[in-house]
Amino acid sequence: MLFDLRGRGRRRTVQGIYLGLAVLMGGGLVLFGVGGTGVGLFNQDNNGTSSGGTSTNTLVSSARKRAQANPRDAGAWLAYTKRAAANAEVDLTTGTYTAKGKQELPEAARAWSHYLGLKPKTIDPNAAQLMANVFDTDGLSRPTDRSAALQIVAQARPSLATFRNLALGAYAAGQTRLGDLAAREAVAKATKQNRATVKAQIDAAKKAGTGASLGTNAGGGAAPVAR
């Protein structure tokens, strides 16, 4: 045996050791969440809620508070814009914003406006694409702002798809000259086989004028274009 318990003093010593271990283990479970339960007063995973499980409202609120505390910090306002735009509620079946999500979008628009007002040296094209989708949403239809966002994307990532989207967005905003310039770039970047199709699509959007739509959805990006 590891311990000889026949002596009264030894028996009490061993009992004391086990009692101490029990207290430590119990305290660890309650205070620190030891044992993988995720429950504990001082547990860093917020009692079972990991960063991936944190509520959307909490994430947006945190980004908002950081931005408001640093009104001249473009990075903070960029993060706030992305968080507010990306976390607006979406119907997972249709891939479109819910009624609640549409009510949340103006917050992203305000954050984006503040971010642009800080005149960052390089504007994030990912955020610009997000905002192009936001400005193409029923209830927050802002064609001019959408066109401006698409221009940022096309300048940062010149391609058939981005110039095609810019052309459609510009025509929808009534910006014919910008639309023509973007259309020319889009057609030039199309393959010989697809050039006529791309031109016809853009011409139809120009003719439709303010009725043109990018066919974007809440998930980001535009309707696919053959390359």
Side-chain angles (χ1 to χ4, degrees):
M1 293 179 62
L2 183 59
F3 295 106
D4 182 358
L5 302 181
R6 287 175 295 181
R8 179 177 300 178
R10 291 182 180 180
R11 185 179 304 154
R12 289 181 178 176
T13 298
V14 172
Q15 289 174 340
I17 291 172
Y18 278 108
L19 178 61
L21 289 173
V23 171
L24 287 174
M25 290 176 67
L29 288 171
V30 173
L31 298 177
F32 300 101
V34 175
T37 63
V39 178
L41 297 179
F42 304 131
N43 188 19
Q44 291 184 353
D45 69 359
N46 198 22
N47 290 340
T49 302
S50 66
S51 59
T54 303
S55 71
T56 294
N57 289 339
T58 300
L59 293 171
V60 175
S61 177
S62 177
R64 183 194 308 120
K65 289 178 181 178
R66 182 188 168 209
Q68 291 175 341
N70 300 276
R72 302 298 302 170
D73 185 345
W77 284 91
L78 173 61
Y80 176 25
T81 298
K82 286 183 172 181
R83 187 66 73 185
N87 285 339
E89 188 175 272
V90 173
D91 184 325
L92 297 181
T93 302
T94 64
T96 58
Y97 293 109
T98 63
K100 179 183 177 183
K102 291 176 182 178
Q103 292 176 350
E104 295 169 338
L105 293 178
E107 180 173 9
R110 290 191 295 270
W112 175 246
S113 179
H114 188 106
Y115 167 67
L116 294 179
L118 295 175
K119 301 185 183 305
K121 291 182 179 180
T122 303
I123 301 176
D124 190 314
N126 293 324
Q129 182 62 67
L130 271 175
M131 294 311 300
N133 296 337
V134 167
F135 292 134
D136 193 28
T137 303
D138 292 340
L140 192 69
S141 180
R142 289 163 54 171
T144 302
D145 289 328
R146 180 185 64 176
S147 176
L150 291 169
Q151 194 167 356
I152 293 168
V153 177
Q155 289 174 341
R157 300 169 180 164
S159 69
L160 164 59
T162 58
F163 278 115
R164 171 260 185 189
N165 291 342
L166 175 56
L168 269 60
Y171 290 139
Q175 301 168 330
T176 305
R177 183 173 181 277
L178 176 59
D180 289 345
L181 291 173
R184 190 181 308 157
E185 291 291 336
V187 171
K189 291 180 180 298
T191 64
K192 182 180 290 187
Q193 295 84 349
N194 293 324
R195 194 163 294 155
T197 301
V198 172
K199 187 176 186 306
Q201 184 183 35
I202 294 176
D203 287 346
K206 181 178 181 179
K207 186 176 181 180
T210 55
S213 173
L214 299 182
T216 53
N217 55 43
V225 179
R227 288 175 173 76

